[in-house]
């Protein structure tokens, strides 16, 4: 009977003192390491009435289309409609691993836009993603453009848009 192979590296790493500043979820990358076409997904999430109520509280949006079943039906909706800004929030970079990949090079979130393409209701499962569509070096910095998308459980695109971020470039890399 053979013993499983053991790698001495984990034991050596465990002996090193822990440095919280060096703790990373994924290895951080520079602007120059990003590629057009890369996709950063957020975990899927099924929206519930509790999510909608929490967002209504935070946003102070009290329009009955968001909480009154009968009002919504009388106005042509199958059910109360989840707030559009709540759906947009699922494209926040922090909902994905993107901020972990860019590490300390992030400077600012420059802009966003979106189009709401289909209604979202309680019980829908959303699948958000950010896809890198542009990389524009600008001196010591660079602008990253991502396409933001949210699909539902039926494969329907319910939101599309874009985000732009300003990142610090690694000037040692040309």
């Amino acid at each position: 009977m053979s013993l499983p192979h053991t790698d001495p590296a984990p034991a050596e790493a465990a002996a090193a003192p822990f440095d919280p500043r060096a703790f990373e979820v994924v290895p951080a990358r520079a602007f120059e390491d990003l590629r057009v076409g890369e996709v950063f997904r957020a975990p899927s999430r099924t929206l519930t009435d509790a999510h909608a109520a929490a967002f209504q509280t935070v946003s102070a949006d009290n329009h009955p289309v968001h909480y009154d079943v009968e009002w919504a039906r009388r106005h042509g909706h199958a059910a109360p409609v989840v707030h559009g800004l709540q759906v947009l929030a699922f494209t926040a970079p922090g909902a994905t691993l993107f901020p972990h990949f860019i590490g300390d090079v992030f400077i600012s979130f420059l802009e966003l836009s979106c189009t709401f393409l289909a209604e979202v209701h309680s019980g829908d499962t959303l699948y958000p993603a950010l896809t890198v569509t542009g990389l524009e070096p600008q001196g010591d910095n660079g602008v990253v453009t991502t396409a933001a998308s949210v699909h539902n459980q039926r494969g329907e695109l319910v939101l599309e848009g874009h985000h732009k971020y300003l990142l610090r470039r690694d000037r040692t890399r040309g």
Side-chain angles (χ1 to χ4, degrees):
M1 178 165 139
S2 65
L3 296 175
H5 173 71
T6 58
D7 184 357
E12 292 170 13
F18 177 75
D19 181 358
R21 294 169 299 176
F23 185 82
E24 299 174 319
V25 175
V26 295
R29 295 161 49 194
F31 173 85
E32 293 76 11
D33 297 324
L34 296 172
R35 299 289 174 256
V36 170
E38 282 189 273
V39 179
F40 298 91
R41 292 180 178 87
S44 61
R45 179 155 313 195
T46 301
L47 289 170
T48 66
D49 290 336
H51 291 117
F55 192 84
Q56 179 182 348
T57 299
V58 169
S59 69
D61 183 340
N62 290 309
H63 194 285
V65 73
H66 301 302
Y67 63 84
D68 186 324
V69 173
E70 296 308 318
W71 191 98
R73 286 184 183 150
R74 278 195 316 272
H75 291 86
H77 307 280
V81 179
V82 171
H83 294 77
L85 291 177
Q86 183 174 12
V87 176
L88 175 62
F90 282 86
T91 71
T96 73
L97 289 178
F98 183 66
H100 299 284
F101 276 102
I102 59 174
D104 291 337
V105 300
F106 176 79
I107 298 171
S108 66
F109 193 150
L110 297 174
E111 67 180 66
L112 69 83
S113 70
C114 76
T115 302
F116 303 105
L117 302 169
E119 291 184 1
V120 173
H121 302 106
S122 180
D124 282 346
T125 300
L126 302 182
Y127 300 84
L130 299 174
T131 303
V132 177
T133 59
L135 297 164
E136 300 172 46
Q138 295 182 351
D140 290 341
N141 301 320
V143 175
V144 178
T145 302
T146 63
S149 64
V150 179
H151 287 83
N152 66 18
Q153 72 277 9
R154 292 178 296 280
E156 300 166 334
L157 184 62
V158 299
L159 179 147
E160 67 180 356
H162 82 271
H163 297 180
K164 286 190 176 184
Y165 317 99
L166 185 63
L167 305 183
R168 198 171 4 272
R169 290 183 62 205
D170 182 353
R171 299 305 289 164
T172 65
R173 295 169 71 182

